[in-house]
């Protein structure tokens, strides 16, 4: 028989943010002993009061537990509960210290007084006017969203997302969600299709509703973009749609046609594109043709500039690059580490400036732009800064209608640039501008959609110089030599006794791999090179999950390198003052971008603020902490465009799915002074032998070559399927 308990949460022992499963200690009203309660709960905070209904069960190891079947949040009635509730962080501006003062002043009437007249908090000693106004507003916000929270939580939405939904829609939240819950996936960051679909099903939306089909298709196209694709073939779209939605294929054409008519989804030769990606690819191809076909205003004479001045002798391939730059409007310069890309870039810059050209330099990330500036001795900007991105407007100020003032543009780390950013950059260039695209085509492609550098090279329409010779100053570097060997599919013979900057530590057991990495980061590498454990040493791992994945390594390294510092928790992750963190999405308002690294330098629990030092200090509210990840260990994809003095790479057969040559090559080339691989030679061999680069659905190469077809409406696209594609339809 169900029993009902009232009390407040003293401590949350365990919380799974993915499914809401919670283990907590509850202090019942009128009793001092703490009880263990378990169940699926919306994200709670310590100090909140609940009325729970459920049954008792005896755990074989942990003893009696109250299993919650239903619950509701209530105001606490005891002084201890009120104080715990106010100091839990639920009310912005009130921490444990100020909560104690408030309850000490108003006693058992505290919550009634705040509810009726929150400005009376000015009576509490040491609470200033600004703090009182902050608390009053926070209390009012909590009161307004109560009904919304109850509605949303009853449909499986966590407290954190419920707050975001309320901020987006205000008092209209319930109405908006009831009308079309699928809008949440598009309009609320962090809510995916599965959550929106669950809410929709609870609200009575049918499996075969057109709103559900359209939402599913949009989700699949978004997912394909997140995986690097520019489009999805119609057959694959229908296969994935059938699997995702569990509906017959004949429901897709009307939904696709509606998306084409209302949302601009583009269909071309049985390919389906999100509008921004289609137009970005079309625009990139058009801009490259425009630049190639328009003569430059100045004829460049490069012969007199070679082998002069500083006595520099250029190799034949380097001279070829400069010759092409002088004769062609657009060129690609590619090559691995130590092949002289930086030297050639400097000589090209000198050539441009000698002829009076105004030259701009840019790179996709802040770190890469800084390295380009140091190498060239000239100012280099991120592409976003160069194009004057306006966060409030959500667009670049520099565009086709207001172009950059430039005669030439040098772009570094081009392999990192996705199709949308490349389109924006090229659109803003004058017709007469010269362009030099520099990058290593053998590294991982961009995180965003497209495979721009490879498509440009493979098209054969743009002149390409591939540097392969390793120069004398880099021939002593095992990092450089082994990187090239690995890129050619060769297994290097690593001898630690003779090694200078490339080491291999043989460890089979994943737990031992982690222990060795802890020792390397905390003791051995700082002692060897004088490197700072957090700023100079970077662990790059192929995987996110698993014992040697980024998630576990970050927790272990945090405890090893930064124990016991003041902290807060977000999404099951503890963030401490002194932690190294990574920005995981662009935030133009704050001026920090995906891939930027910083150190947590401040924490204010009462204001719910974390301060992170990048080049300058940046403040984050607790509700914004999803933008930050611990960064003691990061994925190789996240490290693109960055360099570190020392890099440590776990490499085990646990990473089997991600053991790829280009991933290993990219990780190795992030190191400036030392590489240490920890793992098994079998895993190393598997990675080097696996040169199967995952195909990306792109059509930039074909557009540059003039090999694409006509656009068509969604319904007619499906109708024109030919065997075996037509057979697919008959199976549904």
């Amino acid at each position: 028989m169900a029993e009902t308990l009232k009390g407040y949460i003293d401590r949350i022992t365990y919380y799974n943010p993915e499914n809401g499963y919670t283990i907590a200690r509850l202090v019942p009203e009128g009793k001092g002993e703490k009880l263990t309660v378990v169940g699926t709960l919306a994200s709670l905070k310590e100090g909140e009061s609940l009325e729970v209904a459920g049954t008792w069960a005896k755990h074989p190891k942990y003893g009696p537990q109250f299993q919650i079947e239903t619950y509701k949040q209530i105001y606490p009635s005891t002084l201890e509960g009120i104080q715990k509730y106010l100091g839990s962080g639920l009310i912005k501006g009130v921490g444990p210290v100020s909560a104690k003062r408030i309850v000490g002043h108003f006693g058992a009437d505290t919550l009634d007084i705040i509810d009726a007249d929150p400005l009376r908090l000015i009576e509490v000693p040491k609470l200033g006017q600004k703090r009182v106004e902050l608390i009053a507003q926070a209390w009012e916000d909590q009161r307004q969203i109560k009904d919304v929270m109850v509605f949303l939580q009853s449909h499986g939405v966590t407290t954190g997302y419920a707050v975001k939904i309320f901020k987006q829609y205000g008092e209209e939240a319930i109405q908006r969600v009831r009308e079309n819950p699928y809008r949440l996936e598009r309009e609320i960051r962090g809510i995916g299709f599965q959550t929106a679909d669950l809410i929709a099903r609870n609200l009575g939306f049918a499996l075969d509703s057109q709103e559900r089909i359209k939402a599913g298709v949009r989700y699949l196209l978004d997912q394909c973009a997140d995986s690097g694709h520019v489009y999805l073939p119609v057959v694959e779209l229908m296969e994935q749609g059938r699997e995702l939605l569990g509906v017959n294929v004949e429901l897709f054409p009307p939904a696709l046609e509606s998306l084409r008519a209302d949302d601009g989804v583009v269909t071309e030769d049985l390919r389906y594109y999100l509008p921004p990606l289609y137009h970005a690819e079309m625009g990139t191809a058009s801009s490259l043709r425009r630049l190639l076909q328009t003569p430059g205003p100045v004829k460049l004479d490069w012969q007199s500039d070679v082998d002069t001045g500083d006595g520099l002798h250029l190799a034949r391939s380097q001279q070829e690059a400069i010759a092409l730059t002088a004769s062609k409007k657009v060129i690609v310069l590619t090559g691995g580490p130590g092949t002289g890309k930086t030297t050639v870039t400097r000589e090209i810059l000198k050539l441009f400036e000698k002829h009076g050209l105004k030259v701009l330099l840019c790179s996709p990330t802040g770190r890469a732009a800084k390295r380009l500036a140091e190498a060239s001795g000239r100012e280099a900007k991120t592409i976003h800064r160069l194009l004057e991105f306006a966060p409030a407007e959500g667009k670049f100020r520099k565009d086709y209608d207001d172009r950059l003032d430039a005669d030439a543009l040098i772009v570094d780390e081009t392999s990192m640039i996705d199709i949308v950013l490349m389109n924006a950059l090229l659109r803003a260039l004058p017709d007469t501008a010269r362009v030099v695209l520099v990058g290593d085509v053998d590294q991982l492609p961009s995180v965003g959609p497209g495979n721009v550098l490879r498509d440009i090279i493979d098209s054969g329409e743009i002149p390409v110089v591939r540097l392969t010779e390793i120069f004398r100053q880099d021939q002593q570097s095992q990092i450089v030599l082994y990187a090239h060997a690995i890129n050619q599919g060769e297994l290097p013979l690593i001898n630690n006794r003779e090694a200078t900057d490339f080491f291999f530590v043989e460890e089979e057991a994943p737990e031992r791999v982690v222990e060795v990495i802890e020792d390397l980061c905390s003791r051995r590498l700082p002692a060897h090179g004088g490197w700072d454990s957090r700023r100079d040493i970077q662990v790059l791992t192929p995987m996110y999950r698993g014992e040697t994945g980024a998630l576990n390594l970050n927790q272990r390294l945090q405890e090893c390198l930064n124990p016991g510092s003041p902290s807060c928790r977000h999404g099951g992750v503890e963030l401490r003052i002194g932690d190294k963190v990574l920005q995981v999405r662009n935030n133009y308002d704050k001026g920090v971008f995906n891939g930027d690294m910083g150190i947590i330098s401040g924490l204010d629990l009462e204001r719910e603020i974390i301060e992170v030092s990048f080049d300058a200090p940046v403040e984050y509210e607790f509700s914004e902490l999803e933008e930050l990840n611990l960064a003691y260990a990061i994925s190789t994809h996240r490290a693109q465009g960055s360099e570190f003095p020392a890099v440590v790479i776990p490499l085990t057969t646990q990473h089997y799915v991600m053991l790829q040559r280009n991933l290993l090559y990219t990780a190795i080339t992030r190191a400036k002074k030392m590489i240490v691989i920890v793992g098994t030679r079998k895993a190393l061999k598997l990675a080097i032998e696996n040169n199967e680069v995952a195909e990306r659905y792109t059509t930039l190469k074909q557009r540059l070559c003039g090999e694409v077809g006509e656009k068509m409406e969604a319904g007619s696209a499906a109708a024109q399927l030919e065997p075996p594609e037509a057979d697919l339809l008959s199976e549904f």
Side-chain angles (χ1 to χ4, degrees), residues 300-309 322 347 351 354-355:
L300 305 185
D301 176 20
W302 68 276
Q303 294 279 2
S304 61
D305 297 319
V306 180
D307 298 341
T308 64
I322 298 174
E347 292 301 306
L351 173 67
K354 182 171 181 176
H355 288 81

Side-chain angles (χ1 to χ4, degrees), residues 50-320:
L50 302 177
E51 181 179 306
V52 298
T55 57
W56 286 97
K58 189 172 183 179
H59 192 279
K61 183 175 180 181
Y62 300 109
Q65 296 181 337
F66 190 82
Q67 296 182 330
I68 299 174
E69 297 171 359
T70 62
Y71 75 100
K72 62 180 180 180
Q73 293 169 289
I74 58 175
Y75 285 154
S77 57
T78 66
L79 290 178
E80 184 183 9
I82 295 170
Q83 184 175 318
K84 193 89 172 178
Y85 174 76
L86 286 177
S88 67
L90 186 68
I91 309 300
K92 193 172 183 177
V94 183
V97 176
S98 50
K100 186 176 181 179
R101 292 199 198 104
I102 294 169
V103 175
H105 188 81
F106 292 123
D109 297 327
T110 296
L111 296 181
D112 291 335
I113 290 171
I114 296 176
D115 207 37
D117 187 6
L119 294 180
R120 281 191 61 187
L121 289 169
I122 196 67
E123 301 172 15
V124 179
K126 298 183 179 181
L127 283 186
Q129 185 68 35
K130 287 186 177 180
R131 175 74 68 82
V132 169
E133 290 174 358
L134 178 66
I135 296 170
Q137 185 59 56
W139 186 268
E140 180 62 24
D141 290 344
Q142 288 294 319
R143 179 162 50 189
Q144 287 182 7
I145 69 173
K146 190 174 181 180
D147 289 343
V148 175
M149 299 286 277
V150 170
F151 168 78
L152 293 172
Q153 289 175 10
S154 69
H155 293 92
V157 182
T158 66
T159 301
Y161 288 139
V163 170
K164 288 185 177 183
I165 293 169
F166 181 79
K167 286 182 177 178
Q168 179 75 16
Y169 305 128
E171 295 178 355
E172 297 179 356
I174 294 176
Q175 178 186 345
R176 295 280 188 92
V177 174
R178 285 190 181 278
E179 288 174 353
N180 183 10
Y182 294 106
R183 70 191 309 157
L184 299 175
E185 190 234 334
R186 305 192 308 275
E187 298 174 1
I188 308 296
R189 177 174 291 275
I191 292 184
F193 175 78
Q194 303 290 357
T195 300
D197 194 40
L198 177 63
I199 296 169
R201 298 287 304 281
N202 288 337
L203 290 172
F205 279 71
L207 282 173
D208 60 355
S209 75
Q210 280 293 292
E211 285 300 325
R212 183 172 185 262
I213 307 295
K214 289 192 298 183
V217 171
R218 276 194 300 263
Y219 169 73
L220 291 172
L221 291 175
D222 284 336
Q223 288 294 106
C224 94
D226 290 342
S227 300
H229 303 297
V230 175
Y231 70 89
L232 265 182
V234 63
V235 173
E236 191 165 333
L237 179 62
M238 290 183 174
E239 286 178 332
Q240 292 185 21
R242 177 177 65 174
E243 184 176 345
L244 174 71
L245 302 172
V247 297
N248 292 329
V249 73
E250 55 262 24
L251 295 173
F252 282 85
L256 290 167
E257 178 58 26
S258 176
L259 286 170
R260 186 198 65 81
D262 300 333
D263 292 13
V265 169
V266 177
T267 304
E268 181 187 62
D269 284 350
L270 305 182
R271 298 183 296 267
Y272 283 76
Y273 300 78
L274 289 171
L277 302 186
Y278 175 79
H279 296 301
E281 205 173 66
M282 289 282 289
T284 298
S286 175
S287 292
L288 285 170
R289 285 194 295 268
R290 168 176 59 86
L291 291 165
L292 286 168
Q293 294 167 2
T294 307
V298 178
K299 185 177 180 180
L300 305 185
D301 176 20
W302 68 276
Q303 294 279 2
S304 61
D305 297 319
V306 180
D307 298 341
T308 64
D310 54 7
L312 178 68
H313 177 74
L314 299 178
R316 183 177 295 276
S317 59
Q318 293 177 311
Q319 294 186 41
E320 181 188 349

Side-chain angles (χ1 to χ4, degrees), residues 529-548:
W531 295 309
D532 183 278
S533 294
R534 281 172 280 187
R535 299 182 184 276
D536 299 330
I537 303 169
Q538 186 60 58
V539 179
L540 300 181
T541 178
M543 300 283 285
Y544 182 70
R545 301 194 181 277
E547 200 158 6
T548 55

Side-chain angles (χ1 to χ4, degrees), residues 656-670:
Y656 184 80
V657 178
M658 298 297 290
L659 293 177
Q660 300 167 359
R661 187 187 300 174
N662 66 341
L663 190 142
L664 177 61
Y665 172 76
T666 302
I668 290 170
T669 55
R670 300 307 91 204

Side-chain angles (χ1 to χ4, degrees), residues 644-656:
F644 312 93
V647 169
V648 180
I649 304 172
L651 206 64
T652 73
T653 50
Q654 276 194 336
H655 304 142
Y656 184 80

